[in-house]
PDB file of all heavy atoms in Angstrom:
ATOM      1  N   ILE A 374     -58.301  12.740 106.689  1.00 96.00           N
ATOM      2  CA  ILE A 374     -58.826  12.171 107.903  1.00 96.00           C
ATOM      3  C   ILE A 374     -57.733  12.475 109.005  1.00 96.00           C
ATOM      4  O   ILE A 374     -56.552  12.378 108.727  1.00 96.00           O
ATOM      5  CB  ILE A 374     -58.958  10.615 107.842  1.00 96.00           C
ATOM      6  CG1 ILE A 374     -60.069  10.263 106.905  1.00 96.00           C
ATOM      7  CG2 ILE A 374     -59.229  10.012 109.201  1.00 96.00           C
ATOM      8  CD1 ILE A 374     -60.195   8.771 106.653  1.00 96.00           C
ATOM      9  N   GLN A 398     -64.915  21.021 108.004  1.00 93.00           N
ATOM     10  CA  GLN A 398     -64.667  20.063 109.052  1.00 93.00           C
ATOM     11  C   GLN A 398     -65.924  19.281 109.264  1.00 93.00           C
ATOM     12  O   GLN A 398     -66.991  19.823 109.585  1.00 93.00           O
ATOM     13  CB  GLN A 398     -64.281  20.751 110.369  1.00 93.00           C
ATOM     14  CG  GLN A 398     -64.013  19.858 111.513  1.00 93.00           C
ATOM     15  CD  GLN A 398     -63.731  20.582 112.817  1.00 93.00           C
ATOM     16  OE1 GLN A 398     -63.629  21.823 112.834  1.00 93.00           O
ATOM     17  NE2 GLN A 398     -63.539  19.868 113.875  1.00 93.00           N
ATOM     18  N   ALA A 408     -78.707  16.638 110.235  1.00 84.00           N
ATOM     19  CA  ALA A 408     -79.614  15.860 109.385  1.00 84.00           C
ATOM     20  C   ALA A 408     -80.971  15.700 110.085  1.00 84.00           C
ATOM     21  O   ALA A 408     -82.036  15.771 109.458  1.00 84.00           O
ATOM     22  CB  ALA A 408     -79.007  14.444 109.104  1.00 84.00           C
ATOM     23  N   LYS A 410     -82.217  17.804 112.298  1.00 89.00           N
ATOM     24  CA  LYS A 410     -82.875  19.117 112.252  1.00 89.00           C
ATOM     25  C   LYS A 410     -83.474  19.447 110.893  1.00 89.00           C
ATOM     26  O   LYS A 410     -84.535  19.986 110.793  1.00 89.00           O
ATOM     27  CB  LYS A 410     -81.819  20.193 112.667  1.00 89.00           C
ATOM     28  CG  LYS A 410     -82.436  21.542 112.942  1.00 89.00           C
ATOM     29  CD  LYS A 410     -81.382  22.528 113.389  1.00 89.00           C
ATOM     30  CE  LYS A 410     -81.934  23.873 113.533  1.00 89.00           C
ATOM     31  NZ  LYS A 410     -80.938  24.887 113.867  1.00 89.00           N
ATOM     32  N   ILE A 433     -76.231   4.389 108.236  1.00 88.00           N
ATOM     33  CA  ILE A 433     -76.803   5.759 108.364  1.00 88.00           C
ATOM     34  C   ILE A 433     -75.726   6.855 108.383  1.00 88.00           C
ATOM     35  O   ILE A 433     -75.846   7.833 107.678  1.00 88.00           O
ATOM     36  CB  ILE A 433     -77.723   5.821 109.628  1.00 88.00           C
ATOM     37  CG1 ILE A 433     -79.016   5.010 109.335  1.00 88.00           C
ATOM     38  CG2 ILE A 433     -78.068   7.263 109.942  1.00 88.00           C
ATOM     39  CD1 ILE A 433     -79.969   4.940 110.531  1.00 88.00           C
ATOM     40  N   LYS A 461     -64.399  -1.509 109.582  1.00 94.00           N
ATOM     41  CA  LYS A 461     -65.650  -1.657 108.773  1.00 94.00           C
ATOM     42  C   LYS A 461     -66.057  -0.269 108.227  1.00 94.00           C
ATOM     43  O   LYS A 461     -66.420  -0.153 107.057  1.00 94.00           O
ATOM     44  CB  LYS A 461     -66.778  -2.268 109.597  1.00 94.00           C
ATOM     45  CG  LYS A 461     -68.021  -2.578 108.801  1.00 94.00           C
ATOM     46  CD  LYS A 461     -69.035  -3.275 109.737  1.00 94.00           C
ATOM     47  CE  LYS A 461     -70.377  -3.354 109.008  1.00 94.00           C
ATOM     48  NZ  LYS A 461     -71.501  -3.388 109.881  1.00 94.00           N
ATOM     49  N   GLY A 474     -66.195   9.296  92.861  1.00 92.00           N
ATOM     50  CA  GLY A 474     -65.056   9.784  92.136  1.00 92.00           C
ATOM     51  C   GLY A 474     -64.101  10.629  92.965  1.00 92.00           C
ATOM     52  O   GLY A 474     -63.390  11.478  92.469  1.00 92.00           O
ATOM     53  N   ASP A 476     -61.213  10.774  96.475  1.00 92.00           N
ATOM     54  CA  ASP A 476     -60.192  10.041  97.120  1.00 92.00           C
ATOM     55  C   ASP A 476     -59.743  10.737  98.379  1.00 92.00           C
ATOM     56  O   ASP A 476     -60.054  11.957  98.553  1.00 92.00           O
ATOM     57  CB  ASP A 476     -59.038   9.826  96.165  1.00 92.00           C
ATOM     58  CG  ASP A 476     -58.101   8.676  96.580  1.00 92.00           C
ATOM     59  OD1 ASP A 476     -58.490   7.938  97.573  1.00 92.00           O
ATOM     60  OD2 ASP A 476     -56.996   8.577  96.021  1.00 92.00           O
ATOM     61  N   GLU A 482     -52.015  10.929 111.377  1.00 95.00           N
ATOM     62  CA  GLU A 482     -52.117  10.429 112.766  1.00 95.00           C
ATOM     63  C   GLU A 482     -51.433  11.413 113.626  1.00 95.00           C
ATOM     64  O   GLU A 482     -50.275  11.749 113.456  1.00 95.00           O
ATOM     65  CB  GLU A 482     -51.422   9.054 112.844  1.00 95.00           C
ATOM     66  CG  GLU A 482     -51.454   8.532 114.289  1.00 95.00           C
ATOM     67  CD  GLU A 482     -50.480   7.378 114.534  1.00 95.00           C
ATOM     68  OE1 GLU A 482     -49.541   7.183 113.717  1.00 95.00           O
ATOM     69  OE2 GLU A 482     -50.628   6.702 115.557  1.00 95.00           O
ATOM     70  N   ARG A 493     -52.232  15.857 131.669  1.00 78.00           N
ATOM     71  CA  ARG A 493     -52.782  17.115 131.175  1.00 78.00           C
ATOM     72  C   ARG A 493     -54.233  17.322 131.591  1.00 78.00           C
ATOM     73  O   ARG A 493     -54.607  18.358 132.039  1.00 78.00           O
ATOM     74  CB  ARG A 493     -52.753  17.148 129.623  1.00 78.00           C
ATOM     75  CG  ARG A 493     -51.562  17.738 128.967  1.00 78.00           C
ATOM     76  CD  ARG A 493     -51.843  17.874 127.496  1.00 78.00           C
ATOM     77  NE  ARG A 493     -50.616  18.032 126.692  1.00 78.00           N
ATOM     78  CZ  ARG A 493     -50.541  17.895 125.402  1.00 78.00           C
ATOM     79  NH1 ARG A 493     -51.646  17.532 124.712  1.00 78.00           N
ATOM     80  NH2 ARG A 493     -49.440  18.055 124.765  1.00 78.00           N
ATOM     81  N   ALA A 504     -59.731  27.824 139.875  1.00 87.00           N
ATOM     82  CA  ALA A 504     -60.242  29.108 139.381  1.00 87.00           C
ATOM     83  C   ALA A 504     -61.735  29.237 139.687  1.00 87.00           C
ATOM     84  O   ALA A 504     -62.361  30.223 139.241  1.00 87.00           O
ATOM     85  CB  ALA A 504     -59.956  29.230 137.893  1.00 87.00           C
ATOM     86  N   GLY A 506     -64.089  27.228 138.588  1.00 81.00           N
ATOM     87  CA  GLY A 506     -64.865  26.733 137.440  1.00 81.00           C
ATOM     88  C   GLY A 506     -65.460  25.393 137.657  1.00 81.00           C
ATOM     89  O   GLY A 506     -65.291  24.723 138.706  1.00 81.00           O
ATOM     90  N   THR A 519     -60.903   5.356 129.911  1.00 84.00           N
ATOM     91  CA  THR A 519     -61.939   4.530 129.327  1.00 84.00           C
ATOM     92  C   THR A 519     -62.019   4.850 127.812  1.00 84.00           C
ATOM     93  O   THR A 519     -62.074   3.943 126.978  1.00 84.00           O
ATOM     94  CB  THR A 519     -63.281   4.814 129.972  1.00 84.00           C
ATOM     95  OG1 THR A 519     -63.172   4.530 131.332  1.00 84.00           O
ATOM     96  CG2 THR A 519     -64.392   3.953 129.359  1.00 84.00           C
ATOM     97  N   ALA A 555     -47.788  23.078 111.645  1.00 97.00           N
ATOM     98  CA  ALA A 555     -46.733  23.147 110.614  1.00 97.00           C
ATOM     99  C   ALA A 555     -46.379  21.774 110.085  1.00 97.00           C
ATOM    100  O   ALA A 555     -46.190  21.609 108.898  1.00 97.00           O
ATOM    101  CB  ALA A 555     -45.475  23.858 111.239  1.00 97.00           C
ATOM    102  N   GLY A 563     -46.721  17.606 100.722  1.00 88.00           N
ATOM    103  CA  GLY A 563     -46.238  16.333 100.134  1.00 88.00           C
ATOM    104  C   GLY A 563     -47.363  15.598  99.413  1.00 88.00           C
ATOM    105  O   GLY A 563     -47.148  15.052  98.325  1.00 88.00           O
TER     106      GLY A 563
END
Side-chain angles (χ1 to χ4, degrees):
I374 291 174
Q398 179 182 358
K410 191 175 175 186
I433 288 177
K461 187 177 169 206
D476 196 10
E482 178 195 17
R493 266 188 198 166
T519 302

